[in-house]
Amino acid sequence: MDIVLLVKAAIMGVVEGLTEFLPISSTGHLILAGSLLGFDDAKAKVFDIAIQTGAIFAVILVYWQKIRATLVALPTERQAQRFALNVFIGFVPAVLLGLLFGKAIKAHLFTPVVVATTFIVGGFIILWAERRAPVATRIESVDDMGPLDALKVGLVQCLAMVPGTSRSGATIIGGMLLGLSRKAATDFSFFLAIPTLIGAGVYSLYKERALLSLADAPMFLTGLVFSFISAWLCVRWLLRYISTHSFVVFAYYRILFGVVVLATAWLGWVQWAE
């Protein structure tokens, strides 16, 4: 058993769990962390997607009461059926566009420089969204959303196909700009993540199964466990944080981090792998 490899897997799991649901891009952080750790070959890219499932299990645990109540009521109650339909509608655009453009995006945009640039651009977008005139809140709860609302948020989520954009950032900020309350936008972002990230993980494992063997199981299991634990802590913290704070601090973090990556690359202080 390669202890160094397991340590790298644990670090990547923590990075995934801490960044998946914050508006700072887990994919971007995984690309940068993998570059620094020398954990960026083809198998590592599959690993990065697969360990998102660990983070999703944390969301399922945090929202278990809502998920369980929806599943129990699904055969008979209209509201549960509407909620499930909205999640499905929001999920579909990512599937379609992912199948159409996912391969090209991975081939050309999964680089540290692209990630750093989108970090900075995304940061300024968050600042603009938080400081513009408040949008009238039409939807206070995810149960108040209609199919068109779900579709719009699902389309916004597709912006996160560009690494460094942030899936949660796109859906939360996009949802707020579309009239969802901060709480409703955050909740729907989490619920939308369940089919989106599980689907991406399963599809990636199946598509790249030739790269994997039973010997890789300890590495993947380590990443999943650390991703789950760190994501569980992060989601619980974020739900408390948004009740009294904006996302401005994350915007400044994105801009600063992006500038540091670009500066270290330009000065030759860090050899970011392409």
Side-chain angles (χ1 to χ4, degrees):
M1 185 177 296
D2 188 338
I3 299 299
V4 173
L5 183 61
L6 293 183
V7 170
K8 290 182 179 181
I11 293 172
M12 297 293 281
V14 171
V15 171
E16 160 62 24
L18 292 180
T19 59
E20 180 60 57
F21 302 109
L22 300 179
I24 57 175
S25 177
S26 62
T27 301
H29 280 80
L30 289 171
I31 291 173
L32 298 175
S35 179
L36 287 175
L37 294 171
F39 192 76
D40 54 3
D41 58 9
K43 187 178 293 185
K45 289 179 172 58
V46 179
F47 172 88
D48 290 349
I49 297 174
I51 61 172
Q52 294 174 339
T53 308
I56 286 303
F57 287 151
V59 169
I60 293 173
L61 180 62
V62 171
Y63 284 96
W64 176 242
Q65 287 186 331
K66 171 68 173 176
I67 294 170
R68 181 180 179 278
T70 300
L71 293 175
V72 170
L74 197 56
T76 57
E77 293 189 13
R78 183 178 180 85
Q79 184 165 309
Q81 293 167 355
R82 185 173 67 174
F83 173 72
L85 178 62
N86 285 342
V87 173
F88 176 76
I89 290 172
F91 166 63
V92 168
V95 175
L96 297 178
L97 293 183
L99 291 173
L100 289 173
F101 302 110
K103 186 175 181 180
I105 289 173
K106 287 182 180 179
H108 300 291
L109 299 182
F110 273 54
T111 67
V113 172
V114 170
V115 169
T117 303
T118 51
F119 269 18
I120 296 169
V121 172
F124 281 113
I125 290 174
I126 292 174
L127 288 177
W128 169 78
E130 289 284 10
R131 294 180 177 182
R132 70 193 294 267
V135 177
T137 299
R138 299 180 296 106
I139 298 167
E140 292 292 343
S141 166
V142 290
D143 291 327
D144 301 327
M145 293 179 64
L148 185 58
D149 299 311
L151 178 60
K152 290 177 180 178
V153 176
L155 290 171
V156 172
Q157 178 179 238
C158 295
L159 296 174
M161 292 175 64
V162 179
T165 301
S166 173
R167 190 205 62 81
S168 60
T171 51
I172 294 172
I173 299 300
M176 289 168 57
L177 292 174
L178 292 169
L180 278 68
S181 68
R182 191 180 302 273
K183 179 68 163 57
T186 303
D187 286 343
F188 193 68
S189 174
F190 287 165
F191 287 121
L192 195 55
I194 296 173
T196 301
L197 299 187
I198 289 179
V202 171
Y203 177 72
S204 180
L205 287 173
Y206 174 77
K207 186 178 178 182
E208 306 295 344
R209 62 191 183 279
L211 291 173
L212 308 176
S213 68
L214 190 59
D216 297 316
M219 176 183 73
F220 278 81
L221 181 60
T222 299
L224 285 169
V225 169
F226 278 87
S227 173
F228 168 80
I229 295 171
S230 54
W232 180 75
L233 294 171
C234 185
V235 169
R236 287 169 59 87
W237 172 81
L238 182 62
L239 290 175
R240 292 193 300 270
Y241 179 86
I242 64 168
S243 63
T244 55
H245 297 81
S246 73
F247 292 109
V248 168
V249 65
F250 299 113
Y252 286 124
Y253 169 80
R254 290 179 63 108
I255 294 169
L256 178 61
F257 193 29
V259 169
V260 168
V261 172
L262 290 178
T264 54
W266 182 68
L267 294 170
W269 293 351
V270 178
Q271 297 300 316
W272 300 101
E274 292 294 335

